[in-house]
Coordinates of all heavy atoms in Angstrom, one line a residue:
G18 N 30.7 8.2 9.3 CA 29.5 7.6 8.5 C 28.8 8.6 8.0 O 29.1 9.8 7.9
F19 N 27.5 8.3 7.4 CA 26.7 9.2 6.8 C 25.4 9.6 7.6 O 24.3 9.9 7.3 CB 26.2 8.5 5.4 CG 27.4 8.5 4.4 CD1 28.0 7.2 4.3 CD2 27.8 9.5 3.7 CE1 28.9 7.1 3.4 CE2 28.7 9.3 2.7 CZ 29.3 8.1 2.6
G20 N 25.6 9.4 8.9 CA 24.5 9.7 9.8 C 23.9 11.0 9.7 O 22.8 11.3 10.0
W21 N 24.7 12.1 9.3 CA 24.1 13.4 9.1 C 23.3 13.6 7.8 O 22.6 14.5 7.8 CB 25.3 14.4 9.0 CG 26.3 14.1 8.0 CD1 27.4 13.2 7.9 CD2 26.2 14.6 6.6 NE1 27.9 13.1 6.7 CE2 27.2 13.9 5.9 CE3 25.3 15.4 5.9 CZ2 27.4 14.2 4.4 CZ3 25.5 15.7 4.5 CH2 26.6 15.0 3.9
W22 N 23.4 12.7 6.9 CA 22.7 12.9 5.7 C 21.2 12.8 5.9 O 20.8 11.7 6.5 CB 23.2 11.8 4.7 CG 22.6 12.0 3.3 CD1 21.6 11.5 2.7 CD2 23.1 12.9 2.3 NE1 21.4 11.9 1.5 CE2 22.4 12.9 1.3 CE3 24.2 13.9 2.3 CZ2 22.5 13.7 0.1 CZ3 24.3 14.7 1.2 CH2 23.6 14.5 0.1
P23 N 20.5 13.7 5.4 CA 19.0 13.7 5.6 C 18.4 12.6 4.9 O 18.4 12.5 3.7 CB 18.5 15.0 5.1 CG 19.5 15.7 4.4 CD 20.9 15.0 4.8
L24 N 17.9 11.6 5.6 CA 17.3 10.4 5.0 C 16.0 10.7 4.1 O 15.9 10.1 3.1 CB 16.9 9.4 6.1 CG 16.4 7.9 5.7 CD1 17.6 7.4 4.9 CD2 16.0 7.2 6.9
T25 N 15.3 11.7 4.4 CA 14.2 12.1 3.6 C 14.5 12.4 2.1 O 13.7 12.2 1.4 CB 13.4 13.4 4.2 OG1 14.3 14.4 4.3 CG2 12.8 13.0 5.6
L26 N 15.8 12.9 1.9 CA 16.1 13.1 0.5 C 16.2 11.8 -0.3 O 16.0 11.9 -1.5 CB 17.5 13.9 0.4 CG 17.4 15.3 1.0 CD1 18.8 15.9 0.9 CD2 16.4 16.2 0.2
L27 N 16.5 10.8 0.4 CA 16.8 9.4 -0.2 C 15.4 8.7 -0.4 O 15.4 8.0 -1.3 CB 17.8 8.7 0.4 CG 19.2 9.3 0.7 CD1 20.0 8.4 1.5 CD2 19.9 9.4 -0.6
Q28 N 14.6 8.7 0.4 CA 13.4 8.0 0.5 C 12.5 8.1 -0.6 O 12.1 7.1 -1.2 CB 12.5 8.2 1.8 CG 13.3 7.6 3.0 CD 12.5 8.0 4.3 OE1 11.9 9.0 4.5 NE2 12.6 7.0 5.2
P29 N 12.2 9.3 -1.1 CA 11.2 9.3 -2.3 C 11.6 8.5 -3.5 O 10.9 8.0 -4.1 CB 11.1 10.9 -2.5 CG 11.4 11.4 -1.2 CD 12.5 10.6 -0.7
V30 N 12.9 8.6 -3.8 CA 13.4 8.0 -5.0 C 13.3 6.4 -4.8 O 12.7 5.9 -5.7 CB 14.9 8.3 -5.3 CG1 15.5 7.6 -6.4 CG2 15.0 9.8 -5.6
S31 N 13.8 5.9 -3.8 CA 13.8 4.5 -3.6 C 12.3 4.0 -3.4 O 12.0 2.9 -4.0 CB 14.6 4.0 -2.4 OG 14.0 4.6 -1.3
R32 N 11.5 4.7 -2.9 CA 10.1 4.2 -2.6 C 9.4 4.3 -4.0 O 8.6 3.4 -4.3 CB 9.4 5.1 -1.5 CG 9.8 4.9 -0.1 CD 9.2 5.7 0.8 NE 7.8 5.5 0.9 CZ 7.2 4.6 1.6 NH1 7.8 4.0 2.4 NH2 5.9 4.5 1.7
Q33 N 9.6 5.4 -4.8 CA 8.9 5.4 -6.0 C 9.2 4.3 -7.0 O 8.3 3.8 -7.6 CB 9.2 6.9 -6.6 CG 8.3 7.2 -7.7 CD 8.6 8.6 -8.2 OE1 9.6 9.2 -7.9 NE2 7.7 9.0 -9.1
L34 N 10.4 4.0 -7.0 CA 10.8 2.8 -7.7 C 10.2 1.6 -7.4 O 9.9 0.7 -8.3 CB 12.3 2.7 -7.8 CG 13.1 3.8 -8.4 CD1 14.6 3.6 -8.3 CD2 12.8 3.9 -9.9
A35 N 9.8 1.4 -6.1 CA 9.3 0.1 -5.6 C 7.9 0.1 -5.7 O 7.3 -1.0 -5.7 CB 9.7 -0.1 -4.2
M36 N 7.1 1.2 -5.9 CA 5.8 1.2 -5.8 C 5.1 0.6 -7.1 O 5.6 0.8 -8.2 CB 5.1 2.8 -5.8 CG 5.6 3.3 -4.5 SD 4.9 2.6 -3.1 CE 3.9 3.9 -2.5
K37 N 4.0 -0.1 -6.8 CA 3.3 -0.8 -8.0 C 1.9 -0.1 -7.8 O 1.5 0.5 -7.0 CB 3.2 -2.3 -7.8 CG 4.6 -3.0 -7.8 CD 4.5 -4.5 -7.5 CE 5.8 -5.1 -7.6 NZ 5.6 -6.6 -7.2
T38 N 1.2 -0.5 -9.0 CA -0.1 0.0 -9.0 C -1.2 -1.1 -9.1 O -0.9 -2.3 -9.6 CB -0.4 1.1 -10.2 OG1 0.0 0.4 -11.3 CG2 0.5 2.3 -10.0
G39 N -2.5 -0.7 -8.9 CA -3.6 -1.7 -8.9 C -4.8 -0.9 -8.6 O -4.9 0.2 -8.6
F40 N -5.8 -1.8 -8.0 CA -7.1 -1.1 -7.5 C -7.6 -2.0 -6.3 O -7.2 -3.1 -6.1 CB -8.2 -1.1 -8.7 CG -8.8 -2.5 -9.1 CD1 -9.9 -3.0 -8.5 CD2 -8.2 -3.2 -10.1 CE1 -10.4 -4.2 -8.8 CE2 -8.6 -4.5 -10.4 CZ -9.9 -4.9 -9.8
L41 N -8.4 -1.3 -5.5 CA -8.9 -1.8 -4.3 C -10.1 -2.7 -4.8 O -11.1 -2.2 -5.1 CB -9.3 -0.7 -3.3 CG -9.6 -1.1 -1.9 CD1 -8.5 -1.9 -1.3 CD2 -10.1 0.0 -1.2
K42 N -10.0 -3.9 -4.6 CA -10.9 -4.9 -5.2 C -12.0 -5.0 -4.1 O -13.3 -5.0 -4.5 CB -10.3 -6.2 -5.4 CG -11.2 -7.2 -5.8 CD -10.5 -8.6 -6.1 CE -11.4 -9.8 -6.5 NZ -10.6 -11.0 -6.7
R43 N -11.7 -5.1 -2.8 CA -12.7 -5.4 -1.8 C -12.3 -4.6 -0.5 O -11.0 -4.6 -0.2 CB -12.8 -6.8 -1.6 CG -13.8 -7.3 -0.6 CD -14.2 -8.7 -0.6 NE -15.1 -8.9 0.4 CZ -14.8 -9.8 1.5 NH1 -13.8 -10.5 1.4 NH2 -15.7 -10.1 2.5
W44 N -13.2 -4.1 0.2 CA -12.9 -3.4 1.5 C -14.0 -3.8 2.5 O -15.1 -3.7 2.2 CB -12.8 -1.9 1.3 CG -12.4 -1.4 2.5 CD1 -13.2 -0.6 3.4 CD2 -11.0 -1.2 3.1 NE1 -12.3 -0.1 4.4 CE2 -11.1 -0.6 4.2 CE3 -9.9 -1.8 2.5 CZ2 -9.9 -0.4 5.0 CZ3 -8.7 -1.6 3.4 CH2 -8.7 -0.9 4.6
V45 N -13.4 -4.3 3.7 CA -14.4 -4.7 4.8 C -14.2 -3.6 5.8 O -13.3 -3.7 6.7 CB -14.0 -6.0 5.3 CG1 -15.0 -6.5 6.4 CG2 -13.8 -7.1 4.3
A46 N -14.9 -2.6 5.7 CA -14.9 -1.3 6.5 C -14.9 -1.7 8.1 O -14.2 -1.1 8.8 CB -16.0 -0.4 6.2
D47 N -15.8 -2.5 8.5 CA -15.8 -2.9 9.9 C -14.7 -3.5 10.5 O -14.5 -3.5 11.7 CB -17.2 -3.4 10.3 CG -17.4 -4.8 9.6 OD1 -16.9 -5.0 8.5 OD2 -18.1 -5.7 10.2
R48 N -14.0 -4.2 9.6 CA -12.8 -5.0 10.1 C -11.4 -4.1 9.7 O -10.4 -4.6 10.2 CB -12.6 -6.3 9.4 CG -14.0 -7.2 9.6 CD -14.0 -7.9 10.9 NE -12.8 -8.6 11.2 CZ -12.7 -10.0 10.8 NH1 -13.6 -10.5 10.1 NH2 -11.6 -10.6 11.2
G49 N -11.5 -3.1 8.9 CA -10.3 -2.3 8.6 C -9.4 -2.9 7.7 O -8.1 -2.7 7.7
F50 N -9.9 -3.8 6.8 CA -8.9 -4.4 5.8 C -9.6 -4.7 4.5 O -10.8 -4.6 4.4 CB -8.2 -5.6 6.3 CG -9.2 -6.8 6.5 CD1 -9.4 -7.7 5.2 CD2 -9.9 -7.2 7.6 CE1 -10.3 -8.8 5.4 CE2 -10.7 -8.2 7.7 CZ -10.9 -9.1 6.5
G51 N -8.8 -5.0 3.5 CA -9.3 -5.4 2.1 C -8.3 -6.0 1.2 O -7.3 -6.5 1.8
F52 N -8.5 -6.0 0.0 CA -7.7 -6.8 -0.9 C -7.3 -5.8 -2.1 O -8.4 -5.1 -2.7 CB -8.2 -8.0 -1.3 CG -8.3 -9.0 -0.2 CD1 -9.5 -8.9 0.6 CD2 -7.3 -9.7 0.2 CE1 -9.7 -9.8 1.8 CE2 -7.4 -10.6 1.3 CZ -8.6 -10.6 2.0
I53 N -6.2 -5.7 -2.5 CA -5.7 -5.0 -3.8 C -5.5 -6.0 -4.9 O -4.7 -7.0 -4.7 CB -4.5 -4.2 -3.5 CG1 -4.8 -3.1 -2.4 CG2 -3.8 -3.6 -4.8 CD1 -3.4 -2.4 -1.9
T54 N -6.0 -5.7 -6.1 CA -5.6 -6.5 -7.3 C -4.5 -5.7 -8.1 O -4.9 -4.6 -8.6 CB -6.9 -6.7 -8.1 OG1 -7.9 -7.4 -7.4 CG2 -6.4 -7.4 -9.4
P55 N -3.3 -6.2 -8.1 CA -2.3 -5.5 -8.8 C -2.5 -5.6 -10.4 O -3.0 -6.4 -10.9 CB -1.0 -6.4 -8.4 CG -1.4 -7.2 -7.3 CD -2.9 -7.3 -7.5
D56 N -2.0 -4.5 -11.0 CA -2.0 -4.4 -12.4 C -1.2 -5.3 -13.2 O -1.5 -5.6 -14.3 CB -1.6 -2.9 -12.9 CG -2.6 -1.8 -12.5 OD1 -3.9 -2.2 -12.3 OD2 -2.3 -0.7 -12.5
D57 N -0.2 -5.8 -12.5 CA 0.8 -6.8 -13.2 C 0.2 -8.3 -13.3 O 0.9 -9.1 -13.8 CB 2.2 -6.8 -12.5 CG 2.1 -7.2 -11.1 OD1 1.2 -7.8 -10.7 OD2 3.1 -7.1 -10.5
G58 N -1.0 -8.5 -12.8 CA -1.5 -9.8 -12.9 C -1.2 -10.7 -11.8 O -1.6 -12.0 -11.8
T59 N -0.4 -10.3 -10.8 CA 0.0 -11.2 -9.6 C -1.2 -11.3 -8.7 O -2.2 -10.6 -8.9 CB 1.2 -10.6 -9.0 OG1 1.0 -9.3 -8.6 CG2 2.4 -10.7 -9.8
A60 N -1.1 -12.2 -7.8 CA -2.2 -12.5 -6.8 C -2.6 -11.4 -6.0 O -1.8 -10.4 -5.7 CB -1.7 -13.6 -5.9
D61 N -4.0 -11.2 -5.8 CA -4.5 -10.1 -4.8 C -3.6 -10.2 -3.6 O -3.3 -11.2 -3.1 CB -6.0 -10.4 -4.5 CG -6.8 -10.2 -5.7 OD1 -6.3 -9.7 -6.8 OD2 -8.1 -10.4 -5.7
L62 N -3.5 -9.0 -2.9 CA -2.9 -8.9 -1.6 C -3.6 -8.2 -0.6 O -4.5 -7.4 -0.8 CB -1.5 -8.4 -1.9 CG -1.4 -6.9 -2.5 CD1 -0.5 -6.1 -1.6 CD2 -0.8 -7.0 -3.8
F63 N -3.4 -8.7 0.6 CA -4.1 -8.1 1.8 C -3.7 -6.7 2.0 O -2.4 -6.4 1.9 CB -3.7 -9.0 3.0 CG -4.2 -8.6 4.3 CD1 -5.4 -8.9 4.7 CD2 -3.5 -7.8 5.2 CE1 -6.1 -8.6 5.8 CE2 -4.0 -7.4 6.4 CZ -5.3 -7.9 6.8
A64 N -4.5 -5.8 2.4 CA -4.3 -4.4 2.6 C -5.0 -4.1 3.9 O -6.2 -4.2 4.1 CB -4.8 -3.6 1.5
H65 N -4.3 -3.6 5.0 CA -4.8 -3.1 6.3 C -4.9 -1.7 6.4 O -3.9 -1.1 5.8 CB -4.0 -3.8 7.4 CG -4.7 -3.8 8.7 ND1 -4.7 -2.7 9.5 CD2 -5.5 -4.7 9.4 CE1 -5.4 -2.9 10.5 NE2 -6.0 -4.1 10.4
I66 N -5.8 -1.2 7.1 CA -6.0 0.3 7.3 C -4.8 1.0 7.9 O -4.4 2.0 7.5 CB -7.3 0.6 8.0 CG1 -7.5 2.2 8.1 CG2 -7.2 0.1 9.4 CD1 -8.0 2.7 6.8
H67 N -4.1 0.2 8.8 CA -2.8 0.8 9.4 C -1.7 1.0 8.5 O -0.7 1.7 8.7 CB -2.6 -0.1 10.6 CG -3.5 -0.1 11.8 ND1 -3.6 -1.2 12.6 CD2 -4.3 0.8 12.1 CE1 -4.5 -0.7 13.6 NE2 -4.9 0.4 13.2
Q68 N -1.7 0.2 7.2 CA -0.6 0.5 6.3 C -1.1 1.5 5.2 O -0.4 1.8 4.3 CB -0.3 -0.8 5.7 CG 0.7 -1.7 6.4 CD 0.1 -2.2 7.6 OE1 -1.0 -2.7 7.7 NE2 0.8 -2.1 8.7
K69 N -2.3 2.2 5.4 CA -2.7 3.1 4.4 C -1.9 4.5 4.6 O -1.8 4.9 5.7 CB -4.1 3.5 4.5 CG -4.6 4.3 3.5 CD -6.2 4.5 3.7 CE -6.7 5.7 2.8 NZ -6.1 7.0 3.2
A70 N -1.4 5.0 3.6 CA -0.8 6.3 3.7 C -1.8 7.3 3.0 O -2.8 7.0 2.5 CB 0.7 6.3 2.8
G71 N -1.3 8.5 2.8 CA -2.2 9.6 2.2 C -3.0 10.2 3.3 O -2.7 10.4 4.5
I72 N -4.2 10.8 2.8 CA -5.0 11.6 3.6 C -5.8 10.5 4.7 O -6.4 9.6 4.4 CB -6.3 12.2 2.7 CG1 -5.6 13.0 1.6 CG2 -7.2 12.8 3.6 CD1 -6.5 13.4 0.7
P73 N -5.5 10.9 5.9 CA -6.0 10.1 7.1 C -7.5 9.7 7.0 O -7.9 8.6 7.2 CB -5.6 10.7 8.3 CG -4.5 11.6 7.9 CD -4.8 12.0 6.5
D74 N -8.3 10.8 6.9 CA -9.8 10.5 7.0 C -10.5 10.3 5.7 O -11.8 10.3 5.7 CB -10.4 11.8 7.6 CG -9.8 12.1 9.0 OD1 -8.9 11.2 9.5 OD2 -10.1 13.2 9.5
E75 N -9.8 10.1 4.6 CA -10.5 10.0 3.3 C -11.4 8.7 3.3 O -11.1 7.8 3.9 CB -9.6 10.0 2.2 CG -8.7 8.8 1.9 CD -7.7 8.8 0.7 OE1 -8.1 9.5 -0.3 OE2 -6.6 8.6 1.0
T76 N -12.5 8.8 2.6 CA -13.4 7.6 2.4 C -12.7 6.5 1.6 O -12.2 6.8 0.4 CB -14.7 8.2 1.8 OG1 -15.3 9.2 2.5 CG2 -15.7 6.9 1.6
I77 N -12.7 5.3 2.0 CA -12.1 4.2 1.3 C -13.2 3.6 0.5 O -14.4 3.2 1.0 CB -11.5 3.3 2.2 CG1 -10.5 3.8 3.1 CG2 -11.1 1.9 1.7 CD1 -9.8 3.1 4.2
T78 N -13.0 3.6 -0.8 CA -13.9 3.1 -1.8 C -13.4 2.0 -2.8 O -12.3 2.2 -3.3 CB -14.4 4.3 -2.7 OG1 -14.7 5.4 -1.9 CG2 -15.6 3.9 -3.5
E79 N -14.1 0.9 -2.8 CA -13.7 -0.1 -3.6 C -13.7 0.3 -5.1 O -14.4 1.1 -5.4 CB -14.7 -1.4 -3.5 CG -14.6 -2.0 -2.2 CD -15.8 -3.1 -2.0 OE1 -16.6 -3.2 -2.9 OE2 -15.7 -3.9 -1.0
G80 N -12.7 -0.2 -5.8 CA -12.6 0.1 -7.3 C -11.6 1.2 -7.6 O -11.3 1.5 -8.7
R81 N -11.3 2.0 -6.4 CA -10.4 3.1 -6.7 C -8.8 2.6 -7.0 O -8.5 1.6 -6.5 CB -10.3 4.0 -5.5 CG -11.5 4.9 -5.3 CD -11.5 5.8 -4.3 NE -10.4 6.8 -4.5 CZ -10.0 7.6 -3.6 NH1 -10.6 7.8 -2.3 NH2 -9.0 8.5 -3.7
R82 N -8.2 3.4 -7.8 CA -6.9 3.1 -8.2 C -5.9 3.3 -7.0 O -6.1 4.3 -6.3 CB -6.4 4.0 -9.4 CG -7.2 3.9 -10.5 CD -6.9 2.7 -11.4 NE -5.5 2.7 -11.8 CZ -4.8 1.6 -12.0 NH1 -5.3 0.4 -11.7 NH2 -3.5 1.7 -12.3
V83 N -4.9 2.4 -6.8 CA -4.0 2.5 -5.6 C -2.6 2.4 -6.1 O -2.3 1.9 -7.2 CB -4.4 1.6 -4.5 CG1 -5.6 1.8 -3.9 CG2 -4.2 0.1 -5.0
T84 N -1.7 2.9 -5.3 CA -0.3 2.5 -5.4 C 0.2 1.8 -4.2 O -0.4 2.1 -3.1 CB 0.6 3.8 -5.7 OG1 1.9 3.5 -5.9 CG2 0.4 4.9 -4.6
F85 N 1.1 0.9 -4.2 CA 1.4 0.1 -3.0 C 2.9 -0.4 -3.1 O 3.5 -0.6 -4.2 CB 0.5 -1.0 -2.9 CG 0.5 -2.1 -4.1 CD1 1.2 -3.2 -3.8 CD2 -0.3 -1.9 -5.1 CE1 1.3 -4.1 -5.0 CE2 -0.3 -2.9 -6.1 CZ 0.5 -3.9 -6.0
E86 N 3.3 -0.8 -1.9 CA 4.5 -1.7 -1.8 C 4.0 -2.9 -1.1 O 3.2 -3.0 -0.3 CB 5.5 -1.0 -1.0 CG 6.3 0.2 -1.5 CD 7.2 0.8 -0.7 OE1 6.8 1.7 0.1 OE2 8.4 0.6 -0.8
S87 N 4.7 -4.0 -1.5 CA 4.2 -5.3 -0.9 C 5.4 -6.3 -0.5 O 6.5 -5.9 -0.9 CB 3.4 -6.1 -1.9 OG 4.2 -6.4 -3.1
E88 N 5.0 -7.2 0.3 CA 6.1 -8.1 0.7 C 5.3 -9.5 1.1 O 4.1 -9.4 1.2 CB 6.9 -7.7 1.9 CG 6.1 -7.6 3.3 CD 6.9 -7.2 4.4 OE1 8.0 -6.6 4.2 OE2 6.4 -7.3 5.5
L89 N 5.9 -10.5 1.1 CA 5.3 -11.8 1.4 C 5.1 -11.9 2.9 O 6.0 -11.7 3.8 CB 6.2 -13.0 0.9 CG 5.6 -14.4 1.1 CD1 4.4 -14.4 0.1 CD2 6.6 -15.4 0.8
D90 N 3.8 -12.1 3.3 CA 3.5 -12.5 4.7 C 4.1 -14.0 5.0 O 3.6 -15.0 4.5 CB 2.1 -12.4 5.0 CG 1.7 -12.6 6.4 OD1 2.3 -13.4 7.1 OD2 0.7 -12.0 6.8
M91 N 5.2 -14.0 5.8 CA 5.7 -15.3 6.1 C 4.9 -16.3 6.9 O 5.0 -17.4 6.6 CB 7.1 -15.1 6.9 CG 8.1 -14.1 6.0 SD 8.3 -14.8 4.3 CE 9.7 -15.9 4.6
V92 N 3.9 -15.7 7.7 CA 3.1 -16.5 8.4 C 2.0 -17.1 7.5 O 1.7 -18.4 7.6 CB 2.4 -15.8 9.6 CG1 1.3 -16.6 10.3 CG2 3.4 -15.3 10.5
K93 N 1.4 -16.3 6.6 CA 0.3 -16.9 5.8 C 0.7 -17.4 4.5 O -0.1 -18.0 3.8 CB -0.6 -15.7 5.7 CG -1.4 -15.3 7.0 CD -2.4 -14.4 6.9 CE -3.1 -14.1 8.2 NZ -4.2 -13.1 8.1
G94 N 2.0 -17.0 4.1 CA 2.5 -17.3 2.8 C 1.9 -16.6 1.7 O 1.8 -17.2 0.6
K95 N 1.2 -15.6 1.8 CA 0.6 -14.7 0.9 C 1.1 -13.4 0.9 O 1.6 -12.8 1.9 CB -1.0 -14.7 1.1 CG -1.5 -16.0 1.0 CD -3.0 -16.1 1.3 CE -3.7 -17.4 1.2 NZ -5.1 -17.3 1.5
P96 N 1.1 -12.6 -0.3 CA 1.6 -11.2 -0.3 C 0.6 -10.3 0.5 O -0.7 -10.6 0.6 CB 1.6 -10.8 -1.8 CG 0.4 -11.8 -2.3 CD 0.5 -13.0 -1.6
K97 N 1.2 -9.3 1.0 CA 0.5 -8.2 1.8 C 1.1 -6.8 1.5 O 2.3 -6.7 1.1 CB 0.5 -8.5 3.4 CG 1.9 -8.3 3.9 CD 1.8 -8.5 5.4 CE 3.2 -8.3 5.9 NZ 3.3 -8.5 7.4
A98 N 0.2 -5.8 1.5 CA 0.6 -4.4 1.3 C 1.3 -3.9 2.6 O 0.8 -4.0 3.7 CB -0.4 -3.5 0.9
I99 N 2.5 -3.5 2.4 CA 3.3 -2.9 3.6 C 3.0 -1.4 3.6 O 3.3 -0.8 4.6 CB 4.7 -3.2 3.6 CG1 5.4 -2.9 2.4 CG2 4.9 -4.7 4.0 CD1 7.0 -3.0 2.5
S100 N 2.6 -0.7 2.5 CA 2.2 0.5 2.3 C 1.3 0.8 1.1 O 1.6 0.1 0.2 CB 3.5 1.5 2.2 OG 3.1 2.9 2.0
W101 N 0.2 1.6 1.4 CA -0.7 1.7 0.1 C -1.4 3.0 0.3 O -1.7 3.5 1.3 CB -1.6 0.5 -0.1 CG -2.7 0.3 1.2 CD1 -2.5 -0.3 2.3 CD2 -4.0 0.7 1.1 NE1 -3.6 -0.2 3.0 CE2 -4.6 0.4 2.3 CE3 -4.8 1.4 0.1 CZ2 -5.9 0.6 2.5 CZ3 -6.1 1.8 0.5 CH2 -6.7 1.3 1.8
A102 N -1.8 3.5 -0.9 CA -2.4 4.9 -0.9 C -3.3 4.8 -2.1 O -3.0 4.4 -3.1 CB -1.4 6.1 -0.8
F103 N -4.4 5.8 -2.2 CA -5.1 6.0 -3.5 C -4.3 6.9 -4.2 O -3.6 7.9 -3.9 CB -6.4 6.7 -3.0 CG -7.3 5.8 -2.4 CD1 -7.8 5.9 -1.2 CD2 -7.8 4.6 -3.1 CE1 -8.6 5.0 -0.4 CE2 -8.7 3.6 -2.3 CZ -9.1 3.9 -1.2
L104 N -4.3 6.6 -5.7 CA -3.7 7.5 -6.6 C -4.6 8.7 -6.8 O -5.8 8.7 -6.6 CB -3.6 6.7 -7.9 CG -2.6 5.7 -8.1 CD1 -2.7 5.0 -9.2 CD2 -1.2 6.4 -8.0
E105 N -4.0 9.8 -7.1 CA -4.8 11.1 -7.4 C -5.8 10.8 -8.7 O -5.4 10.2 -9.5 CB -3.8 12.1 -7.9 CG -3.0 12.7 -6.7 CD -3.8 13.5 -5.6 OE1 -4.8 14.2 -6.0 OE2 -3.7 13.4 -4.4
G106 N -6.9 11.2 -8.4 CA -7.9 11.0 -9.6 C -8.4 9.6 -9.7 O -9.1 9.2 -10.6
G107 N -7.9 8.7 -8.7 CA -8.3 7.3 -8.9 C -9.5 7.0 -8.3 O -10.1 6.0 -8.2

């Protein structure tokens, strides 16, 4: 098999292609979640602090530009961010 192949070489390409952009519309700091509005006009999606990538201690500010990956939350029937981070300069 290909078990020896370093997975890290493959991940950036596939992740980059799947990433979408938008902005953090709302953030509830004491609950650790908020909502992202995608640039493509699709519905706002749930974003949790545990799915945030990037700088761990950075201040989370509404209105900042983000990049994210999403999937449908099968329980709630709504989209959610499975990974999200602030864009540089956003």
Side-chain angles (χ1 to χ4, degrees):
F19 294 96
W21 59 270
W22 189 261
L24 192 56
T25 52
L26 292 178
L27 300 174
Q28 285 177 330
V30 174
S31 60
R32 289 177 65 88
Q33 191 173 11
L34 291 174
M36 293 299 241
K37 295 180 181 177
T38 56
F40 69 93
L41 189 62
K42 178 180 179 179
R43 182 167 175 240
W44 186 254
V45 184
D47 60 335
R48 303 282 302 276
F50 72 86
F52 297 92
I53 293 172
T54 298
D56 288 338
D57 64 8
T59 56
D61 289 354
L62 55 131
F63 178 82
H65 196 276
I66 189 68
H67 291 154
Q68 275 68 47
K69 183 184 169 296
I72 303 166
D74 303 352
E75 74 183 316
T76 303
I77 297 174
T78 311
E79 292 176 354
R81 282 184 67 189
R82 303 278 305 142
V83 297
T84 182
F85 65 92
E86 288 180 277
S87 63
E88 69 179 17
L89 186 65
D90 183 327
M91 299 309 270
V92 175
K93 297 184 178 179
K95 296 180 180 179
K97 66 177 180 181
I99 55 173
S100 175
W101 64 280
F103 290 116
L104 283 169
E105 288 292 323

